[in-house]
Amino acid sequence: MTTAGPPRRGGLRGFFSRLASPQTEIEAQELRAEAEQTGATPIASCGGRRRFCVAGTLRTVTLRPRGGSPALEAELYDGSDVIDLVWLGRRKIAGIEPGRIVKAEGLVSMQDGRKVMFNPRYELRPGS
């Protein structure tokens, strides 16, 4: 889990700051800013057993059986943390693919030390 970085600065000082930052940190800052613009809660701030709206980029999408039924699992990253989105009984959902920007809403729970949202309502967002 990472914490929010310093606010983005403009001008020459901000340019050199971004130039010296690792690319992954710059991308994380951009993702956090995009998620904030959608009104989503940072994943790092989500606690178990409460409903939240989160937004970010899908990093992985896998088909994994759960209890003998298919389950489509996707890892959503918003620059602050990750959450697993799980659709039970689904083998494929059009548009749910790695690299896609998604806004999801549902009950957050903890499973094996990871944040999970089962059968979330979701909205596919246009790429930036």
Side-chain angles (χ1 to χ4, degrees):
M1 182 166 96
T2 61
T3 58
R8 194 172 187 140
R9 294 183 220 141
L12 195 55
R13 180 178 280 167
F15 171 76
F16 285 118
S17 173
R18 287 189 303 277
L19 191 61
S21 297
Q23 185 64 29
T24 55
E25 181 57 32
I26 293 170
E27 290 171 357
Q29 288 176 356
E30 290 171 356
L31 279 171
R32 285 191 298 265
E34 288 175 19
E36 187 178 298
Q37 287 176 353
T38 66
T41 303
I43 295 171
S45 301
C46 295
R49 306 304 304 163
R50 287 193 47 216
R51 291 188 68 81
F52 289 98
C53 177
V54 295
T57 302
L58 296 178
R59 294 205 298 196
T60 61
V61 178
T62 56
L63 179 62
R64 186 170 296 142
R66 284 182 175 258
S69 297
L72 187 65
E73 296 186 9
E75 183 182 76
L76 184 76
Y77 176 65
D78 74 347
S80 70
D81 201 358
V82 295
I83 189 168
D84 293 328
L85 306 178
V86 180
W87 289 274
L88 300 171
R90 304 293 297 266
R91 294 183 186 279
K92 183 164 179 52
I93 298 174
I96 299 295
E97 55 198 28
R100 187 66 189 246
I101 299 170
V102 174
K103 184 175 180 181
E105 182 181 345
L107 184 70
V108 175
S109 60
M110 295 295 289
Q111 189 173 64
D112 299 326
R114 292 179 60 98
K115 295 174 183 174
V116 181
M117 192 180 284
F118 288 98
N119 296 322
R121 295 178 66 150
Y122 66 95
E123 177 183 327
L124 300 175
R125 309 287 295 180
S128 51

